[in-house]
């Protein structure tokens, strides 16, 4: 099995497409860090700046058409701003940890890029006529299939690490390396304002993001196995990803949507205390995603094991 995984990984990294996607991820992450560069807050006037923020959030909350998620976001930021004034806690100076938390949207870029590889890793073998060469080797179909899945999963991990590493390095050029014990204010699960370690929050958010990333990887992989078409697997996966973002908003009104994987695909909402529904927890979302990942893998294995391949 180890040899199969090494062979599949070698095939992935020997493709120009893989290196183009990795380079694209590096450039996009670096550009996002440059464009998102924040000015250093004026510590002398932090009370006046915080008062302006409070007024801004109060005005936003007066908008009646505000979506549930945006309303909750404004309420949370208002609560934190008021806590800063009441307890004399200015916002921390700009640092790479906060910048990485604000750049959580780049996780979707990782998902898009790894879907392209996951959608082709099986379908490409059928299109190129090389699947039959794999199956005549002394390895079970299960080993062949899961070696491909593990290899593309490792690529997803590499992409995520590349994104975080690039984001940290570029932001460190602007703000310095950042203190390992740096803290900021967040809301806990009960809605209380608490101080939490920023590097640990970064590790938590990007570490847990592996679940939604692997969810979409598994989806593209399964569609690729069933339809044997890279284009269809990419198209369907990206369509469901876009539709899934809309489901997060819709879940606030339709409770049953919380059982769909797409409504649980943004773990950053839990970092900022913005669950789609009050009863939803991080453990619930991770459990839903894990169940769907296992279910899709079972479907992939069942289809691949039974399919006839002309040799």
């Amino acid at each position: 099995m180890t040899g199969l995984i090494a062979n599949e990984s070698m095939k992935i990294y020997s493709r120009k497409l893989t290196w183009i996607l990795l380079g694209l991820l590096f450039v996009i992450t670096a550009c996002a860090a440059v464009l998102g560069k924040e000015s250093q807050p004026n510590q002398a006037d932090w009370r006046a700046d915080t008062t302006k923020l409070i007024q801004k959030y109060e005005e936003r909350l007066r908008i009646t058409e505000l979506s549930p998620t945006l309303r909750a976001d404004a309420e949370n930021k208002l609560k934190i701003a008021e806590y800063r004034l009441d307890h004399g806690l200015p916002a921390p100076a700009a640092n790479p940890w906060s910048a990485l938390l604000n750049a959580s949207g780049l996780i979707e870029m990782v998902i898009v890029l790894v879907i392209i590889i996951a959608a082709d890793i099986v379908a490409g073998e059928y299109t190129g006529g090389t699947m039959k060469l794999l199956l005549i080797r002394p390895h079970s179909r299960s080993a062949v299939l899961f070696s491909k899945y593990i290899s593309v999963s490792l690529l997803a991990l590499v992409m995520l690490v590349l994104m975080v590493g690039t984001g940290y390095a570029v932001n460190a050029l602007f703000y310095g390396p950042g203190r390992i014990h740096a803290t900021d204010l967040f809301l806990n699960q009960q809605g209380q304002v608490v101080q939490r370690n920023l590097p640990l929050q970064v590790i938590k958010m990007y570490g847990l993001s592996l679940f939604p990333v692997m969810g979409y990887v598994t989806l593209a992989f399964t569609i690729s196995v069933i339809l044997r078409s890279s284009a269809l697997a990419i198209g369907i996966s990206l369509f469901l990803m876009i539709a899934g973002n809309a489901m997060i908003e819709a879940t606030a009104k339709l409770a049953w949507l919380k059982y769909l994987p797409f409504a649980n695909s943004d773990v950053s909402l839990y970092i900022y205390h913005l669950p789609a529904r009050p009863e939803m927890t991080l453990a619930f979302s991770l459990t839903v995603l894990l169940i769907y990942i296992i279910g899709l893998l079972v479907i992939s294995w069942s289809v691949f094991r039974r399919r006839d391949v002309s040799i």
Side-chain angles (χ1 to χ4, degrees):
M1 187 69 169
T2 304
L4 281 174
I5 295 172
N7 183 60
E8 291 298 332
S9 296
M10 182 179 66
K11 286 161 64 175
I12 289 175
Y13 290 104
S14 65
R15 300 178 62 185
K16 289 183 179 179
L17 175 62
T18 301
W19 291 102
I20 290 173
L21 295 179
L22 290 172
L24 184 62
L25 179 62
F26 174 84
V27 171
I28 291 175
T29 304
C31 290
V34 173
L35 295 175
K37 184 178 181 299
E38 302 175 357
S39 58
Q40 293 285 348
N42 189 334
Q43 297 296 323
D45 297 331
W46 73 268
R47 290 185 179 276
D49 292 340
T50 305
T51 300
K52 290 179 181 178
L53 284 176
I54 291 175
Q55 295 172 350
K56 172 185 173 181
Y57 298 137
E58 287 176 341
E59 290 175 0
R60 186 177 300 176
L61 288 172
R62 295 191 189 102
I63 302 174
T64 56
E65 303 86 8
L66 210 59
S67 70
T69 301
L70 291 178
R71 181 170 294 279
D73 180 58
E75 290 173 348
N76 292 349
K77 289 178 177 177
L78 175 61
K79 185 181 292 187
I80 289 175
E82 291 175 339
Y83 188 93
R84 289 193 191 283
L85 276 182
D86 294 342
H87 294 79
L89 296 172
N95 61 84
W97 308 117
S98 295
L100 283 173
L101 287 175
N102 294 333
S104 61
L106 288 174
I107 293 172
E108 292 191 357
M109 180 56 60
V110 172
I111 293 174
V112 170
L113 298 181
V114 79
I115 278 177
I116 296 173
I117 302 298
D120 187 62
I121 195 168
V122 174
E125 299 280 8
Y126 285 110
T127 303
T130 54
M131 181 59 76
K132 57 187 177 183
L133 300 178
L134 284 175
L135 298 182
I136 62 176
R137 295 179 180 179
H139 299 289
S140 68
R141 288 195 174 203
S142 299
V144 171
L145 181 69
F146 286 112
S147 65
K148 288 181 173 295
Y149 179 75
I150 293 172
S151 298
V152 78
S153 300
L154 292 175
L155 175 65
L157 179 60
V158 168
M159 284 188 169
L160 196 61
V161 171
L162 173 63
M163 186 198 73
V164 175
T166 302
Y168 175 82
V170 175
N171 281 294
L173 292 176
F174 296 138
Y175 315 124
R179 294 186 302 108
I180 199 68
H181 300 296
T183 61
D184 199 2
L185 299 179
F186 296 87
L187 295 180
N188 61 17
Q189 191 172 338
Q190 292 72 39
Q192 301 169 325
V193 180
V194 294
Q195 277 195 339
R196 286 186 172 158
N197 182 270
L198 281 173
L200 288 180
Q201 289 293 88
V202 170
I203 293 172
K204 179 181 177 181
M205 184 174 72
Y206 287 100
L208 293 174
S209 68
L210 271 174
F211 284 84
V213 170
M214 289 310 305
Y216 283 104
V217 166
T218 310
L219 175 64
F221 184 84
T222 302
I223 297 173
S224 173
V225 171
I226 295 173
L227 301 181
R228 293 187 289 184
S229 170
S230 303
L232 283 175
I234 293 172
I236 294 173
S237 299
L238 293 180
F239 171 77
L240 291 175
M241 176 183 170
I242 295 170
N245 291 336
M247 286 185 187
I248 295 176
E249 288 284 347
T251 304
K253 299 178 180 179
L254 301 173
W256 64 271
L257 287 177
K258 69 182 180 182
Y259 297 106
L260 295 180
F262 315 106
N264 297 276
S265 60
D266 190 353
V267 296
S268 68
L269 295 178
Y270 292 102
I271 299 294
Y272 296 106
H273 189 61
L274 294 168
R277 295 187 65 83
E279 69 272 18
M280 291 175 67
T281 63
L282 178 60
F284 172 83
S285 290
L286 296 183
T287 300
V288 169
L289 290 172
L290 190 58
I291 289 173
Y292 276 93
I293 289 172
I294 293 172
L296 288 171
L297 284 177
V298 170
I299 293 172
S300 299
W301 172 77
S302 179
V303 171
F304 189 76
R305 187 169 59 90
R306 298 170 184 271
R307 173 165 285 154
D308 291 330
V309 178
S310 178
I311 298 179

